[in-house]
């Protein structure tokens, strides 16, 4: 279970950034979500493996949910090296993630990750637009392929794609609703390196399959 706690010094900048941009929305008043929780998921392009050190969420009440997600991002690594990492999929999946329990609508998401393909460590501050929050509480009718039915649903899943070069791309989707493109963010290099400098500059190892692909075809910078 992921729960909120007081805002620490590291994330204070994150919160102030949103306030300065005027995206606090209904700060001070609860949104009364029409569902129990929303989901934060992350993925990476084929072979471009990512290790998430932390993905922290800040809701509209300025509560921080640290490590709302961490660990391995969802990815495909076909062993025949026929996967294509260029660009983003036309229909992104939900990614590897967790439900952010007890949170109001999201205002900011902070992600710090190791791009194992390079290797490099990045961080990105992602401001969630007010229009996205409105879409999260708007019911819509959509088709559910798994059940073969039409039903009313909500877009309650934020999915973040992480690519080499520090690129973070965000979509909003629902189980039975199509994805909406939210924002593209250029992250920055974490100067202390992986794990806040506690690993002597050593990143997590790249899998043999991804290493073989990159050695043969390289990294398609500029395609994301």
């Amino acid at each position: 279970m992921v729960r909120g706690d007081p805002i620490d010094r590291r994330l204070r900048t994150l919160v102030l950034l949103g306030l300065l941009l005027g995206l606090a929305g209904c700060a001070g008043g609860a949104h009364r979500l029409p569902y129990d929780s929303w989901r934060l998921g992350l993925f990476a392009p084929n072979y471009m493996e990512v290790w998430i050190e932390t993905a922290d969420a800040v809701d509209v009440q300025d509560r921080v949910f640290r490590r709302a997600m961490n660990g391995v991002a969802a990815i495909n690594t076909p062993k025949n090296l026929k996967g294509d990492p260029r660009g983003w999929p036309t229909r992104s999946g939900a990614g590897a993630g967790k439900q952010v329990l007890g949170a109001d609508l999201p205002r900011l998401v902070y992600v710090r990750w190791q791009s194992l393909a390079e290797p490099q460590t990045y961080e990105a501050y992602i401001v969630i637009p007010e229009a996205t929050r409105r879409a999260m509480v708007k019911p819509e009718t959509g088709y559910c392929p798994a059940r073969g039915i039409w039903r009313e649903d909500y877009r309650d899943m934020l999915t973040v794609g992480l690519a080499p070069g520090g690129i973070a791309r965000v979509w909003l989707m629902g189980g039975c609703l199509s994805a909406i493109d939210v924002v593209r963010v250029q992250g920055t290099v974490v100067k202390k390196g992986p794990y806040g400098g506690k690993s002597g500059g050593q990143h997590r190892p790249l899998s043999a399959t991804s290493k073989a692909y990159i050695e043969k075809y390289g990294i398609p910078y500029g395609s994301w």
Side-chain angles (χ1 to χ4, degrees), residues 53 112 114 120-121 189-199 201 203:
E53 292 189 355
R112 187 176 69 250
Q114 296 179 29
Q120 187 62 271
T121 303
V189 173
V190 177
K191 294 181 179 180
K192 291 184 178 180
Y195 303 112
K198 297 179 180 180
S199 67
H203 291 80

Side-chain angles (χ1 to χ4, degrees), residues 74-142:
I75 191 170
N76 292 319
T77 56
K79 294 187 181 300
N80 61 7
L81 305 188
K82 297 298 183 180
D84 187 357
R86 294 173 297 177
W88 300 108
T90 54
R91 291 187 177 182
S92 62
K98 298 178 182 178
Q99 297 297 123
V100 186
L101 302 176
D104 206 322
L105 293 173
R107 184 162 64 78
L108 297 158
V109 174
Y110 168 81
V111 186
R112 187 176 69 250
W113 75 98
Q114 296 179 29
S115 175
L116 307 183
E118 299 176 85
Q120 187 62 271
T121 303
Y122 298 100
E123 64 180 356
Y125 294 85
I126 303 167
V127 178
I128 306 301
E130 175 62 28
T132 300
R133 290 194 290 276
R134 290 196 298 267
M136 291 180 73
V137 294
K138 178 184 177 182
E140 294 187 39
T141 300

